[in-house]
Amino acid sequence: MNENQRLDGLQAAAAQAPDKKPEKDYSKYFEKVYTAPSLKDAKKRGKEEVKYHNDFAIPEEFRGMGEGRKFYIRTYGCQMNEHDTEVMAGIFMALGYEPTDGVEDANVILLNTCAIRENAENKVFGELGHLKALKLEKPDLLLGVCGCMSQEESVVNRILSKHSFVDMIFGTHNIHRLPNILNEAYLSKEMVVEVWSKEGDVIENLPKVRKGNIKAWVNIMYGCDKFCTYCIVPYTRGKERSRRPEEIIQEVRHLAAQGYKEITLLGQNVNAYGKDLSDMNYGLGDLMDEISKIDIPRIRFTTSHPRDFDDHLIEVLAKGGNLVEHIHLPVQSGSTDVLKIMARKYTREQYLELVRKIKAAIPNATLTTDIIVGYPNETEEQFEETLSLYREVGYDAAYTFIYSPREGTPAAKMNDNVPMEVKKERLQRLNELVNETSARIMKDYEGQIVEVLVEGESKKNPDVLAGYTRKNKLVNFKAPKTAIGQLVKVKITNANTWSLNGEMVVEETAEVV
Ligand code: SAH
Ligand code: SF4
Ligand code: F3S
């Protein structure tokens, strides 16, 4: 028996009876799985071509690893992470695990983490504190940390030194390695750390278990090359890599055939889609144009970077149909000087010009945005420029944040003369404007009829159904449960700041806004 056969034998034995850690420490037989991340390496953008793979398979020796076991994944952060969770759930199911809703009866718990702001990270460390007690009670429980925080050296070091009860850490580039990482964690007495600093290839055929059967996420690209000076994402998600259009189209067709009603195309900077496809001149506009021909009622995309939002995309969106008239267009600041320090690569005027073009081509377009306040050395005047831009564009909604320094990014090294109280006060003033504007826009819906994609019972009241309009407004209304998953017409009876209440209408002729 050679060394490889012996390892296979050990792995197979461990997969069949992995409930208890073996008496003997077999980990020395394995090449030690310990690769820690480096933000410096993550920053390097190589010229090497991205390879596409369609050959993912659960290794024979790991099949049945999850028999009689349950997994639980807690997801933090953006849609990208939510979708990664769907992929990891798919891998767990393929390994024979079952899902569970509670940590108490889980045999494996994963925290799929977000590194975007300090408070996102604090939540995860808080949760690790809670899970420590559970881990002490159930030593056979496997506890893993994955997602964007795992890509940071400082986080990995902190977990190694202060949270040594964690069994495994892996990053965003190697979720397809989950079976191997789990196997290693069952066998090893030490923490398994496998984080790749550099993105790998694109693997197309990973299994997925989607969260619902009404709306679905579809990745169109991975990574980000923009390097806005405050942002950690280009380091945690690697360089921009587009999926091949035919793969995306096939996935959307398949979802349409399964009865999904809404697709959201995902990427950190979806407007850069196609730039890295060296054999074709193909962009997001071309992709949306093709996808719009698929029989699926609603298509969205997120997130757009204003810099790459080209005329062809506007032209295609203007055709309407299943391409919804809601565009999320993060601006970050209304001050050209701040935008320059953020390295956003557009000015206030260029952004406003883009908004003008979009509104001219799509008159009923709704815009939403992301804004950061309290950037290092942001002056009162610069902040007021953000308020005035908000009024000028007339956004429907915004996600607003206080700037949070992220280790390894250029902004984290900047001196900052803005006290935290001033940042908080600016956020409050901005949020007042955001709320006031929304309340006014929502009020205009009273008496109108909207099309709602019904998602389920309202969280607050199970007698009421809830869903979203094409412009992403939450609508609550009374209707039979059979309406769930359908597109229905609802007459708005009254508006709140962030939601609408209404009654379902049945007449065919009702005019919809
Ligand atoms: N790729 C998207 C944004 C992803 S992060 C885009 O460029 O539009 C979502 C939002 O988080 C950003 O738009 C920004 O407003 C905010 N954000 C990112 N880094 C931040 C930081 N260091 N501090 C505060 N907010 C931040
Ligand atoms: Fe971050 Fe900027 Fe990339 Fe968005 S475009 S993910 S804000 S670096
Ligand atoms: Fe957070 Fe990573 Fe998304 S840092 S916002 S989960 S890409």
Side-chain angles (χ1 to χ4, degrees), residues 21 38 389:
K21 287 193 180 178
S38 146
L389 179 122

Side-chain angles (χ1 to χ4, degrees), residues 63 91 203 254-255 303 307 337 348 433 442 459:
R63 295 219 176 117
I91 297 177
I203 302 173
H254 189 63
L255 290 166
T303 301
R307 163 95 180 184
D337 290 339
R348 174 190 175 100
L433 174 62
M442 296 297 251
K459 282 193 194 115

Side-chain angles (χ1 to χ4, degrees), residues 224 226-228 230-231 233-234 268-269 305 332 344:
C224 179
K226 281 280 183 282
F227 287 102
C228 303
Y230 49 83
C231 185
V233 172
Q268 284 304 339
N269 169 15
H305 192 292
Q332 314 299 357
R344 290 291 287 181

